[in-house]
Amino acid sequence: QKEVEQDPGPLSVPEGAIVSLNCTYSNSAFQYFMWYRQYSRKGPELLMYTYSSGNKEDGRFTAQVDKSSKYISLFIRDSQPSDSATYLCAMSGNQAGTALIFGKGTTLSVSS
Amino acid sequence: GAGVSQSPSNKVTEKGKDVELRCDPISGHTALYWYRQSLGQGLEFLIYFQGNSAPDKSGLPSDRFSAERTGGSVSTLTIQRTQQEDSAVYLCASSPRTGPDGYTFGSGTRLTVV
């Protein structure tokens, strides 16, 4: 079992839909949870960052972390065609400089 | 520029040749990371630099892979005797701090070994 599991999709939704993206993990030492967005032939860019459990909201994006279930989610409200990209979850422990462990990414397509 | 710059953006090489990939981090960023993104595999950690030192090189897949960083700035990832399984996008990220939230990724070098 990989440390981080993420359904690769693809996921196709109409404009305006609510999108739910999820990852599960096995390492209970993970404390930092991130969501990255990656457009084709570009590097990943950080969307959301959460420490430990809880929710975090930023505009149309909401990140949720449930450490008891080892499950994290990213919700996108009122999805736009510009949200079409690959979404990667990433996690790490507490040590300084520790590497991020990434999911394989979910490819999202939002049609207008 | 304001971002992380990687060169070349694309590299096609013959099996068995050596390649060098370059990363210019954001000025002042002390932490630098190399990752590899293979088709269907997600991003895999290769090596982490803090200044010119590499406290974590645990992700380098074999002794054909090496990396250095000079002047606390530019980093070079070298792959010797390239193999077809080395074909991937090699991504560099830099950060002003050691926490996981400060990464800025470059656009990567797409390496194809033929």
PDB file of all heavy atoms in Angstrom, chain A residues 32 34 36 38 41-44 46 49 88 92 96-100 102-104, chain B residues 10 33 35 37 40-43 45 48 56 91 98 100-101 103 105-107 110:
ATOM      1  N   TYR A  32       1.286  17.900   8.139  1.00  0.00           N
ATOM      2  CA  TYR A  32       1.032  18.974   7.192  1.00  0.00           C
ATOM      3  C   TYR A  32       0.355  18.386   5.963  1.00  0.00           C
ATOM      4  O   TYR A  32       0.794  17.368   5.427  1.00  0.00           O
ATOM      5  CB  TYR A  32       2.345  19.643   6.775  1.00  0.00           C
ATOM      6  CG  TYR A  32       3.047  20.362   7.897  1.00  0.00           C
ATOM      7  CD1 TYR A  32       3.969  19.702   8.702  1.00  0.00           C
ATOM      8  CD2 TYR A  32       2.780  21.705   8.157  1.00  0.00           C
ATOM      9  CE1 TYR A  32       4.601  20.361   9.741  1.00  0.00           C
ATOM     10  CE2 TYR A  32       3.420  22.366   9.188  1.00  0.00           C
ATOM     11  CZ  TYR A  32       4.330  21.690   9.974  1.00  0.00           C
ATOM     12  OH  TYR A  32       4.958  22.340  10.997  1.00  0.00           O
ATOM     13  N   MET A  34      -1.382  19.401   2.168  1.00  0.00           N
ATOM     14  CA  MET A  34      -1.428  20.423   1.140  1.00  0.00           C
ATOM     15  C   MET A  34      -2.162  19.939  -0.092  1.00  0.00           C
ATOM     16  O   MET A  34      -2.218  18.734  -0.364  1.00  0.00           O
ATOM     17  CB  MET A  34       0.012  20.814   0.743  1.00  0.00           C
ATOM     18  CG  MET A  34       0.653  21.717   1.769  1.00  0.00           C
ATOM     19  SD  MET A  34       2.301  21.252   2.300  1.00  0.00           S
ATOM     20  CE  MET A  34       2.186  19.598   2.821  1.00  0.00           C
ATOM     21  N   TYR A  36      -2.094  20.898  -4.202  1.00  0.00           N
ATOM     22  CA  TYR A  36      -1.442  21.615  -5.286  1.00  0.00           C
ATOM     23  C   TYR A  36      -2.287  21.484  -6.552  1.00  0.00           C
ATOM     24  O   TYR A  36      -2.954  20.475  -6.769  1.00  0.00           O
ATOM     25  CB  TYR A  36      -0.052  21.034  -5.577  1.00  0.00           C
ATOM     26  CG  TYR A  36       1.015  21.430  -4.582  1.00  0.00           C
ATOM     27  CD1 TYR A  36       1.161  20.765  -3.378  1.00  0.00           C
ATOM     28  CD2 TYR A  36       1.884  22.486  -4.871  1.00  0.00           C
ATOM     29  CE1 TYR A  36       2.147  21.132  -2.477  1.00  0.00           C
ATOM     30  CE2 TYR A  36       2.870  22.854  -3.971  1.00  0.00           C
ATOM     31  CZ  TYR A  36       2.995  22.174  -2.782  1.00  0.00           C
ATOM     32  OH  TYR A  36       3.967  22.542  -1.894  1.00  0.00           O
ATOM     33  N   GLN A  38      -1.840  21.674 -10.754  1.00  0.00           N
ATOM     34  CA  GLN A  38      -0.805  21.613 -11.794  1.00  0.00           C
ATOM     35  C   GLN A  38      -1.465  21.676 -13.164  1.00  0.00           C
ATOM     36  O   GLN A  38      -2.237  20.794 -13.543  1.00  0.00           O
ATOM     37  CB  GLN A  38       0.029  20.330 -11.677  1.00  0.00           C
ATOM     38  CG  GLN A  38       1.207  20.282 -12.631  1.00  0.00           C
ATOM     39  CD  GLN A  38       2.091  19.070 -12.400  1.00  0.00           C
ATOM     40  OE1 GLN A  38       1.643  18.042 -11.894  1.00  0.00           O
ATOM     41  NE2 GLN A  38       3.354  19.174 -12.786  1.00  0.00           N
ATOM     42  N   ARG A  41       2.200  20.910 -18.415  1.00  0.00           N
ATOM     43  CA  ARG A  41       3.567  21.367 -18.693  1.00  0.00           C
ATOM     44  C   ARG A  41       4.016  22.510 -17.783  1.00  0.00           C
ATOM     45  O   ARG A  41       4.889  23.300 -18.157  1.00  0.00           O
ATOM     46  CB  ARG A  41       3.741  21.726 -20.158  1.00  0.00           C
ATOM     47  CG  ARG A  41       3.540  20.503 -21.042  1.00  0.00           C
ATOM     48  CD  ARG A  41       3.998  20.714 -22.465  1.00  0.00           C
ATOM     49  NE  ARG A  41       3.934  19.444 -23.204  1.00  0.00           N
ATOM     50  CZ  ARG A  41       4.986  18.676 -23.431  1.00  0.00           C
ATOM     51  NH1 ARG A  41       6.174  19.031 -23.017  1.00  0.00           N
ATOM     52  NH2 ARG A  41       4.844  17.541 -24.101  1.00  0.00           N
ATOM     53  N   LYS A  42       3.388  22.592 -16.609  1.00  0.00           N
ATOM     54  CA  LYS A  42       3.798  23.566 -15.599  1.00  0.00           C
ATOM     55  C   LYS A  42       4.123  22.839 -14.303  1.00  0.00           C
ATOM     56  O   LYS A  42       3.753  21.676 -14.117  1.00  0.00           O
ATOM     57  CB  LYS A  42       2.677  24.589 -15.335  1.00  0.00           C
ATOM     58  CG  LYS A  42       2.306  25.434 -16.528  1.00  0.00           C
ATOM     59  CD  LYS A  42       3.420  26.391 -16.885  1.00  0.00           C
ATOM     60  CE  LYS A  42       2.996  27.345 -17.976  1.00  0.00           C
ATOM     61  NZ  LYS A  42       4.128  28.233 -18.373  1.00  0.00           N
ATOM     62  N   GLY A  43       4.805  23.530 -13.394  1.00  0.00           N
ATOM     63  CA  GLY A  43       5.054  22.957 -12.085  1.00  0.00           C
ATOM     64  C   GLY A  43       3.833  23.094 -11.195  1.00  0.00           C
ATOM     65  O   GLY A  43       2.963  23.927 -11.434  1.00  0.00           O
ATOM     66  N   PRO A  44       3.728  22.271 -10.156  1.00  0.00           N
ATOM     67  CA  PRO A  44       2.605  22.400  -9.217  1.00  0.00           C
ATOM     68  C   PRO A  44       2.647  23.737  -8.485  1.00  0.00           C
ATOM     69  O   PRO A  44       3.728  24.253  -8.182  1.00  0.00           O
ATOM     70  CB  PRO A  44       2.842  21.240  -8.232  1.00  0.00           C
ATOM     71  CG  PRO A  44       3.784  20.312  -8.920  1.00  0.00           C
ATOM     72  CD  PRO A  44       4.628  21.164  -9.804  1.00  0.00           C
ATOM     73  N   LEU A  46       0.916  25.756  -5.033  1.00  0.00           N
ATOM     74  CA  LEU A  46       0.205  25.499  -3.790  1.00  0.00           C
ATOM     75  C   LEU A  46      -1.153  26.207  -3.777  1.00  0.00           C
ATOM     76  O   LEU A  46      -1.241  27.409  -4.011  1.00  0.00           O
ATOM     77  CB  LEU A  46       1.045  25.977  -2.601  1.00  0.00           C
ATOM     78  CG  LEU A  46       0.455  25.719  -1.217  1.00  0.00           C
ATOM     79  CD1 LEU A  46       0.365  24.226  -0.940  1.00  0.00           C
ATOM     80  CD2 LEU A  46       1.307  26.408  -0.159  1.00  0.00           C
ATOM     81  N   TYR A  49      -3.177  24.821   2.356  1.00  0.00           N
ATOM     82  CA  TYR A  49      -2.224  24.254   3.303  1.00  0.00           C
ATOM     83  C   TYR A  49      -2.894  24.191   4.669  1.00  0.00           C
ATOM     84  O   TYR A  49      -3.440  25.182   5.140  1.00  0.00           O
ATOM     85  CB  TYR A  49      -0.988  25.150   3.322  1.00  0.00           C
ATOM     86  CG  TYR A  49      -0.108  25.026   4.522  1.00  0.00           C
ATOM     87  CD1 TYR A  49       0.610  23.862   4.760  1.00  0.00           C
ATOM     88  CD2 TYR A  49       0.034  26.094   5.407  1.00  0.00           C
ATOM     89  CE1 TYR A  49       1.435  23.760   5.854  1.00  0.00           C
ATOM     90  CE2 TYR A  49       0.858  25.991   6.507  1.00  0.00           C
ATOM     91  CZ  TYR A  49       1.562  24.825   6.728  1.00  0.00           C
ATOM     92  OH  TYR A  49       2.382  24.730   7.813  1.00  0.00           O
ATOM     93  N   LEU A  88      -3.118  17.687  -6.932  1.00  0.00           N
ATOM     94  CA  LEU A  88      -2.248  16.772  -6.200  1.00  0.00           C
ATOM     95  C   LEU A  88      -2.371  17.031  -4.713  1.00  0.00           C
ATOM     96  O   LEU A  88      -2.235  18.179  -4.273  1.00  0.00           O
ATOM     97  CB  LEU A  88      -0.788  16.991  -6.616  1.00  0.00           C
ATOM     98  CG  LEU A  88      -0.445  16.779  -8.089  1.00  0.00           C
ATOM     99  CD1 LEU A  88       0.697  17.675  -8.505  1.00  0.00           C
ATOM    100  CD2 LEU A  88      -0.088  15.344  -8.332  1.00  0.00           C
ATOM    101  N   SER A  92       3.324  15.823   4.781  1.00  0.00           N
ATOM    102  CA  SER A  92       4.646  15.646   5.355  1.00  0.00           C
ATOM    103  C   SER A  92       4.553  15.607   6.867  1.00  0.00           C
ATOM    104  O   SER A  92       3.536  15.958   7.458  1.00  0.00           O
ATOM    105  CB  SER A  92       5.590  16.766   4.917  1.00  0.00           C
ATOM    106  OG  SER A  92       5.292  17.965   5.586  1.00  0.00           O
ATOM    107  N   ALA A  96      11.954  19.550  10.054  1.00  0.00           N
ATOM    108  CA  ALA A  96      12.356  20.608   9.137  1.00  0.00           C
ATOM    109  C   ALA A  96      12.955  20.007   7.871  1.00  0.00           C
ATOM    110  O   ALA A  96      13.757  19.081   7.942  1.00  0.00           O
ATOM    111  CB  ALA A  96      13.383  21.513   9.807  1.00  0.00           C
ATOM    112  N   GLY A  97      12.507  20.536   6.744  1.00  0.00           N
ATOM    113  CA  GLY A  97      13.044  20.083   5.472  1.00  0.00           C
ATOM    114  C   GLY A  97      12.546  18.732   5.014  1.00  0.00           C
ATOM    115  O   GLY A  97      12.979  18.232   3.982  1.00  0.00           O
ATOM    116  N   THR A  98      11.615  18.148   5.761  1.00  0.00           N
ATOM    117  CA  THR A  98      11.147  16.821   5.382  1.00  0.00           C
ATOM    118  C   THR A  98      10.456  16.860   4.032  1.00  0.00           C
ATOM    119  O   THR A  98       9.785  17.826   3.680  1.00  0.00           O
ATOM    120  CB  THR A  98      10.212  16.250   6.465  1.00  0.00           C
ATOM    121  OG1 THR A  98       9.937  14.884   6.186  1.00  0.00           O
ATOM    122  CG2 THR A  98       8.896  16.997   6.528  1.00  0.00           C
ATOM    123  N   ALA A  99      10.639  15.789   3.277  1.00  0.00           N
ATOM    124  CA  ALA A  99      10.095  15.741   1.926  1.00  0.00           C
ATOM    125  C   ALA A  99       8.574  15.656   1.953  1.00  0.00           C
ATOM    126  O   ALA A  99       7.977  15.129   2.883  1.00  0.00           O
ATOM    127  CB  ALA A  99      10.656  14.529   1.191  1.00  0.00           C
ATOM    128  N   LEU A 100       7.971  16.183   0.911  1.00  0.00           N
ATOM    129  CA  LEU A 100       6.537  16.017   0.725  1.00  0.00           C
ATOM    130  C   LEU A 100       6.278  14.672   0.059  1.00  0.00           C
ATOM    131  O   LEU A 100       7.023  14.262  -0.842  1.00  0.00           O
ATOM    132  CB  LEU A 100       5.967  17.117  -0.164  1.00  0.00           C
ATOM    133  CG  LEU A 100       6.085  18.554   0.336  1.00  0.00           C
ATOM    134  CD1 LEU A 100       5.385  19.501  -0.621  1.00  0.00           C
ATOM    135  CD2 LEU A 100       5.523  18.687   1.725  1.00  0.00           C
ATOM    136  N   PHE A 102       3.541  12.877  -2.188  1.00  0.00           N
ATOM    137  CA  PHE A 102       2.444  13.282  -3.057  1.00  0.00           C
ATOM    138  C   PHE A 102       1.549  12.109  -3.427  1.00  0.00           C
ATOM    139  O   PHE A 102       2.024  10.970  -3.560  1.00  0.00           O
ATOM    140  CB  PHE A 102       2.991  13.876  -4.363  1.00  0.00           C
ATOM    141  CG  PHE A 102       3.506  15.273  -4.240  1.00  0.00           C
ATOM    142  CD1 PHE A 102       4.797  15.523  -3.806  1.00  0.00           C
ATOM    143  CD2 PHE A 102       2.706  16.352  -4.582  1.00  0.00           C
ATOM    144  CE1 PHE A 102       5.287  16.819  -3.696  1.00  0.00           C
ATOM    145  CE2 PHE A 102       3.175  17.651  -4.493  1.00  0.00           C
ATOM    146  CZ  PHE A 102       4.464  17.883  -4.046  1.00  0.00           C
ATOM    147  N   GLY A 103       0.266  12.411  -3.613  1.00  0.00           N
ATOM    148  CA  GLY A 103      -0.607  11.491  -4.318  1.00  0.00           C
ATOM    149  C   GLY A 103      -0.318  11.572  -5.808  1.00  0.00           C
ATOM    150  O   GLY A 103       0.426  12.449  -6.263  1.00  0.00           O
ATOM    151  N   LYS A 104      -0.910  10.663  -6.580  1.00  0.00           N
ATOM    152  CA  LYS A 104      -0.643  10.626  -8.016  1.00  0.00           C
ATOM    153  C   LYS A 104      -1.358  11.731  -8.775  1.00  0.00           C
ATOM    154  O   LYS A 104      -1.031  11.994  -9.925  1.00  0.00           O
ATOM    155  CB  LYS A 104      -1.046   9.275  -8.597  1.00  0.00           C
ATOM    156  CG  LYS A 104      -0.173   8.133  -8.135  1.00  0.00           C
ATOM    157  CD  LYS A 104      -0.529   6.845  -8.856  1.00  0.00           C
ATOM    158  CE  LYS A 104       0.366   5.720  -8.403  1.00  0.00           C
ATOM    159  NZ  LYS A 104       0.077   4.454  -9.123  1.00  0.00           N
TER     160      LYS A 104
ATOM    161  N   ASN B  10      13.366  20.890 -22.140  1.00  0.00           N
ATOM    162  CA  ASN B  10      13.248  19.553 -22.729  1.00  0.00           C
ATOM    163  C   ASN B  10      14.629  19.029 -23.057  1.00  0.00           C
ATOM    164  O   ASN B  10      15.495  19.792 -23.495  1.00  0.00           O
ATOM    165  CB  ASN B  10      12.413  19.591 -24.015  1.00  0.00           C
ATOM    166  CG  ASN B  10      10.938  19.744 -23.749  1.00  0.00           C
ATOM    167  OD1 ASN B  10      10.257  18.814 -23.380  1.00  0.00           O
ATOM    168  ND2 ASN B  10      10.451  20.959 -23.928  1.00  0.00           N
ATOM    169  N   TYR B  33      14.721  21.657  -3.406  1.00  0.00           N
ATOM    170  CA  TYR B  33      14.300  20.262  -3.508  1.00  0.00           C
ATOM    171  C   TYR B  33      14.261  19.839  -4.975  1.00  0.00           C
ATOM    172  O   TYR B  33      13.891  20.628  -5.843  1.00  0.00           O
ATOM    173  CB  TYR B  33      12.878  20.079  -2.938  1.00  0.00           C
ATOM    174  CG  TYR B  33      12.680  20.530  -1.519  1.00  0.00           C
ATOM    175  CD1 TYR B  33      12.490  21.871  -1.216  1.00  0.00           C
ATOM    176  CD2 TYR B  33      12.665  19.612  -0.475  1.00  0.00           C
ATOM    177  CE1 TYR B  33      12.294  22.293   0.085  1.00  0.00           C
ATOM    178  CE2 TYR B  33      12.466  20.021   0.838  1.00  0.00           C
ATOM    179  CZ  TYR B  33      12.284  21.363   1.110  1.00  0.00           C
ATOM    180  OH  TYR B  33      12.091  21.781   2.412  1.00  0.00           O
ATOM    181  N   TYR B  35      12.442  16.823  -7.313  1.00  0.00           N
ATOM    182  CA  TYR B  35      11.441  15.758  -7.404  1.00  0.00           C
ATOM    183  C   TYR B  35      11.424  15.231  -8.832  1.00  0.00           C
ATOM    184  O   TYR B  35      11.842  15.924  -9.762  1.00  0.00           O
ATOM    185  CB  TYR B  35      10.038  16.289  -7.055  1.00  0.00           C
ATOM    186  CG  TYR B  35       9.794  16.516  -5.588  1.00  0.00           C
ATOM    187  CD1 TYR B  35      10.256  17.666  -4.959  1.00  0.00           C
ATOM    188  CD2 TYR B  35       9.103  15.587  -4.821  1.00  0.00           C
ATOM    189  CE1 TYR B  35      10.032  17.887  -3.609  1.00  0.00           C
ATOM    190  CE2 TYR B  35       8.873  15.788  -3.465  1.00  0.00           C
ATOM    191  CZ  TYR B  35       9.343  16.940  -2.872  1.00  0.00           C
ATOM    192  OH  TYR B  35       9.123  17.158  -1.532  1.00  0.00           O
ATOM    193  N   GLN B  37       8.741  13.398 -11.642  1.00  0.00           N
ATOM    194  CA  GLN B  37       7.339  13.097 -11.925  1.00  0.00           C
ATOM    195  C   GLN B  37       7.282  12.196 -13.150  1.00  0.00           C
ATOM    196  O   GLN B  37       7.509  12.653 -14.276  1.00  0.00           O
ATOM    197  CB  GLN B  37       6.543  14.382 -12.149  1.00  0.00           C
ATOM    198  CG  GLN B  37       5.045  14.169 -12.274  1.00  0.00           C
ATOM    199  CD  GLN B  37       4.271  15.483 -12.277  1.00  0.00           C
ATOM    200  OE1 GLN B  37       4.764  16.513 -12.723  1.00  0.00           O
ATOM    201  NE2 GLN B  37       3.051  15.467 -11.759  1.00  0.00           N
ATOM    202  N   GLY B  40       1.959   8.608 -14.511  1.00  0.00           N
ATOM    203  CA  GLY B  40       1.186   7.708 -13.666  1.00  0.00           C
ATOM    204  C   GLY B  40       1.771   7.436 -12.299  1.00  0.00           C
ATOM    205  O   GLY B  40       1.229   6.626 -11.548  1.00  0.00           O
ATOM    206  N   GLN B  41       2.873   8.113 -11.958  1.00  0.00           N
ATOM    207  CA  GLN B  41       3.532   7.818 -10.674  1.00  0.00           C
ATOM    208  C   GLN B  41       3.490   8.966  -9.693  1.00  0.00           C
ATOM    209  O   GLN B  41       3.934   8.826  -8.570  1.00  0.00           O
ATOM    210  CB  GLN B  41       5.002   7.436 -10.910  1.00  0.00           C
ATOM    211  CG  GLN B  41       5.184   6.110 -11.604  1.00  0.00           C
ATOM    212  CD  GLN B  41       4.531   4.966 -10.855  1.00  0.00           C
ATOM    213  OE1 GLN B  41       4.702   4.814  -9.649  1.00  0.00           O
ATOM    214  NE2 GLN B  41       3.751   4.170 -11.551  1.00  0.00           N
ATOM    215  N   GLY B  42       3.039  10.119 -10.087  1.00  0.00           N
ATOM    216  CA  GLY B  42       3.059  11.227  -9.149  1.00  0.00           C
ATOM    217  C   GLY B  42       4.471  11.741  -8.939  1.00  0.00           C
ATOM    218  O   GLY B  42       5.421  11.310  -9.589  1.00  0.00           O
ATOM    219  N   LEU B  43       4.618  12.664  -8.010  1.00  0.00           N
ATOM    220  CA  LEU B  43       5.933  13.244  -7.725  1.00  0.00           C
ATOM    221  C   LEU B  43       6.664  12.411  -6.682  1.00  0.00           C
ATOM    222  O   LEU B  43       6.118  12.078  -5.637  1.00  0.00           O
ATOM    223  CB  LEU B  43       5.795  14.668  -7.192  1.00  0.00           C
ATOM    224  CG  LEU B  43       5.662  15.777  -8.213  1.00  0.00           C
ATOM    225  CD1 LEU B  43       4.241  15.858  -8.723  1.00  0.00           C
ATOM    226  CD2 LEU B  43       6.099  17.108  -7.626  1.00  0.00           C
ATOM    227  N   PHE B  45      10.160  12.327  -4.323  1.00  0.00           N
ATOM    228  CA  PHE B  45      11.251  13.103  -3.769  1.00  0.00           C
ATOM    229  C   PHE B  45      12.591  12.504  -4.156  1.00  0.00           C
ATOM    230  O   PHE B  45      12.775  11.278  -4.114  1.00  0.00           O
ATOM    231  CB  PHE B  45      11.106  13.154  -2.254  1.00  0.00           C
ATOM    232  CG  PHE B  45      12.323  13.658  -1.524  1.00  0.00           C
ATOM    233  CD1 PHE B  45      12.623  15.019  -1.519  1.00  0.00           C
ATOM    234  CD2 PHE B  45      13.164  12.790  -0.856  1.00  0.00           C
ATOM    235  CE1 PHE B  45      13.739  15.488  -0.846  1.00  0.00           C
ATOM    236  CE2 PHE B  45      14.275  13.248  -0.180  1.00  0.00           C
ATOM    237  CZ  PHE B  45      14.560  14.601  -0.169  1.00  0.00           C
ATOM    238  N   TYR B  48      17.107  16.942  -0.980  1.00  0.00           N
ATOM    239  CA  TYR B  48      16.817  18.223  -0.333  1.00  0.00           C
ATOM    240  C   TYR B  48      18.136  18.895   0.027  1.00  0.00           C
ATOM    241  O   TYR B  48      19.031  18.262   0.587  1.00  0.00           O
ATOM    242  CB  TYR B  48      15.970  17.969   0.911  1.00  0.00           C
ATOM    243  CG  TYR B  48      16.051  19.011   2.006  1.00  0.00           C
ATOM    244  CD1 TYR B  48      15.701  20.336   1.769  1.00  0.00           C
ATOM    245  CD2 TYR B  48      16.469  18.668   3.295  1.00  0.00           C
ATOM    246  CE1 TYR B  48      15.749  21.280   2.777  1.00  0.00           C
ATOM    247  CE2 TYR B  48      16.517  19.605   4.312  1.00  0.00           C
ATOM    248  CZ  TYR B  48      16.165  20.912   4.048  1.00  0.00           C
ATOM    249  OH  TYR B  48      16.209  21.852   5.048  1.00  0.00           O
ATOM    250  N   ASP B  56      19.266  15.407   3.227  1.00  0.00           N
ATOM    251  CA  ASP B  56      18.416  14.275   2.876  1.00  0.00           C
ATOM    252  C   ASP B  56      18.561  13.992   1.384  1.00  0.00           C
ATOM    253  O   ASP B  56      18.077  14.754   0.556  1.00  0.00           O
ATOM    254  CB  ASP B  56      16.949  14.550   3.231  1.00  0.00           C
ATOM    255  CG  ASP B  56      16.062  13.331   3.044  1.00  0.00           C
ATOM    256  OD1 ASP B  56      16.532  12.291   2.541  1.00  0.00           O
ATOM    257  OD2 ASP B  56      14.863  13.423   3.391  1.00  0.00           O
ATOM    258  N   LEU B  91      11.504  18.042 -11.517  1.00  0.00           N
ATOM    259  CA  LEU B  91      11.027  19.310 -10.984  1.00  0.00           C
ATOM    260  C   LEU B  91      11.906  19.770  -9.831  1.00  0.00           C
ATOM    261  O   LEU B  91      12.296  18.974  -8.974  1.00  0.00           O
ATOM    262  CB  LEU B  91       9.586  19.160 -10.472  1.00  0.00           C
ATOM    263  CG  LEU B  91       8.517  18.985 -11.555  1.00  0.00           C
ATOM    264  CD1 LEU B  91       7.274  18.341 -10.981  1.00  0.00           C
ATOM    265  CD2 LEU B  91       8.160  20.326 -12.178  1.00  0.00           C
ATOM    266  N   THR B  98      12.230  26.070   6.018  1.00  0.00           N
ATOM    267  CA  THR B  98      12.279  24.609   5.967  1.00  0.00           C
ATOM    268  C   THR B  98      10.905  23.977   6.124  1.00  0.00           C
ATOM    269  O   THR B  98      10.776  22.770   5.975  1.00  0.00           O
ATOM    270  CB  THR B  98      13.204  24.069   7.071  1.00  0.00           C
ATOM    271  OG1 THR B  98      12.759  24.581   8.338  1.00  0.00           O
ATOM    272  CG2 THR B  98      14.637  24.503   6.819  1.00  0.00           C
ATOM    273  N   PRO B 100       6.954  22.995   5.136  1.00  0.00           N
ATOM    274  CA  PRO B 100       6.468  22.446   3.865  1.00  0.00           C
ATOM    275  C   PRO B 100       5.559  23.386   3.082  1.00  0.00           C
ATOM    276  O   PRO B 100       5.128  23.024   1.985  1.00  0.00           O
ATOM    277  CB  PRO B 100       5.692  21.200   4.307  1.00  0.00           C
ATOM    278  CG  PRO B 100       5.172  21.566   5.655  1.00  0.00           C
ATOM    279  CD  PRO B 100       6.228  22.436   6.287  1.00  0.00           C
ATOM    280  N   ASP B 101       5.274  24.559   3.599  1.00  0.00           N
ATOM    281  CA  ASP B 101       4.286  25.417   2.956  1.00  0.00           C
ATOM    282  C   ASP B 101       4.880  26.487   2.064  1.00  0.00           C
ATOM    283  O   ASP B 101       4.159  27.270   1.485  1.00  0.00           O
ATOM    284  CB  ASP B 101       3.423  26.097   4.022  1.00  0.00           C
ATOM    285  CG  ASP B 101       4.247  26.990   4.936  1.00  0.00           C
ATOM    286  OD1 ASP B 101       5.376  26.586   5.280  1.00  0.00           O
ATOM    287  OD2 ASP B 101       3.770  28.072   5.299  1.00  0.00           O
ATOM    288  N   TYR B 103       7.051  26.058  -0.637  1.00  0.00           N
ATOM    289  CA  TYR B 103       7.588  25.608  -1.921  1.00  0.00           C
ATOM    290  C   TYR B 103       7.096  26.473  -3.081  1.00  0.00           C
ATOM    291  O   TYR B 103       5.913  26.766  -3.187  1.00  0.00           O
ATOM    292  CB  TYR B 103       7.098  24.196  -2.242  1.00  0.00           C
ATOM    293  CG  TYR B 103       7.767  23.025  -1.584  1.00  0.00           C
ATOM    294  CD1 TYR B 103       8.092  23.018  -0.251  1.00  0.00           C
ATOM    295  CD2 TYR B 103       8.021  21.882  -2.339  1.00  0.00           C
ATOM    296  CE1 TYR B 103       8.681  21.904   0.325  1.00  0.00           C
ATOM    297  CE2 TYR B 103       8.595  20.752  -1.777  1.00  0.00           C
ATOM    298  CZ  TYR B 103       8.922  20.767  -0.443  1.00  0.00           C
ATOM    299  OH  TYR B 103       9.485  19.658   0.116  1.00  0.00           O
ATOM    300  N   PHE B 105       7.592  25.743  -7.169  1.00  0.00           N
ATOM    301  CA  PHE B 105       8.139  24.809  -8.152  1.00  0.00           C
ATOM    302  C   PHE B 105       8.498  25.537  -9.445  1.00  0.00           C
ATOM    303  O   PHE B 105       7.828  26.499  -9.851  1.00  0.00           O
ATOM    304  CB  PHE B 105       7.121  23.716  -8.487  1.00  0.00           C
ATOM    305  CG  PHE B 105       7.050  22.602  -7.488  1.00  0.00           C
ATOM    306  CD1 PHE B 105       6.181  22.663  -6.408  1.00  0.00           C
ATOM    307  CD2 PHE B 105       7.857  21.477  -7.619  1.00  0.00           C
ATOM    308  CE1 PHE B 105       6.111  21.627  -5.486  1.00  0.00           C
ATOM    309  CE2 PHE B 105       7.795  20.441  -6.716  1.00  0.00           C
ATOM    310  CZ  PHE B 105       6.921  20.504  -5.640  1.00  0.00           C
ATOM    311  N   GLY B 106       9.530  25.025 -10.109  1.00  0.00           N
ATOM    312  CA  GLY B 106       9.791  25.405 -11.488  1.00  0.00           C
ATOM    313  C   GLY B 106       8.894  24.606 -12.420  1.00  0.00           C
ATOM    314  O   GLY B 106       8.099  23.764 -11.976  1.00  0.00           O
ATOM    315  N   SER B 107       9.021  24.871 -13.705  1.00  0.00           N
ATOM    316  CA  SER B 107       8.199  24.165 -14.698  1.00  0.00           C
ATOM    317  C   SER B 107       8.766  22.812 -15.089  1.00  0.00           C
ATOM    318  O   SER B 107       8.124  22.046 -15.801  1.00  0.00           O
ATOM    319  CB  SER B 107       8.014  25.023 -15.950  1.00  0.00           C
ATOM    320  OG  SER B 107       7.209  26.149 -15.653  1.00  0.00           O
ATOM    321  N   ARG B 110      11.776  18.131 -18.961  1.00  0.00           N
ATOM    322  CA  ARG B 110      11.208  16.878 -19.469  1.00  0.00           C
ATOM    323  C   ARG B 110      12.335  16.091 -20.122  1.00  0.00           C
ATOM    324  O   ARG B 110      12.856  16.491 -21.171  1.00  0.00           O
ATOM    325  CB  ARG B 110      10.097  17.166 -20.466  1.00  0.00           C
ATOM    326  CG  ARG B 110       9.352  15.949 -20.983  1.00  0.00           C
ATOM    327  CD  ARG B 110       8.148  16.379 -21.823  1.00  0.00           C
ATOM    328  NE  ARG B 110       7.208  17.160 -21.030  1.00  0.00           N
ATOM    329  CZ  ARG B 110       6.210  16.641 -20.332  1.00  0.00           C
ATOM    330  NH1 ARG B 110       5.998  15.339 -20.340  1.00  0.00           N
ATOM    331  NH2 ARG B 110       5.403  17.424 -19.652  1.00  0.00           N
TER     332      ARG B 110
END
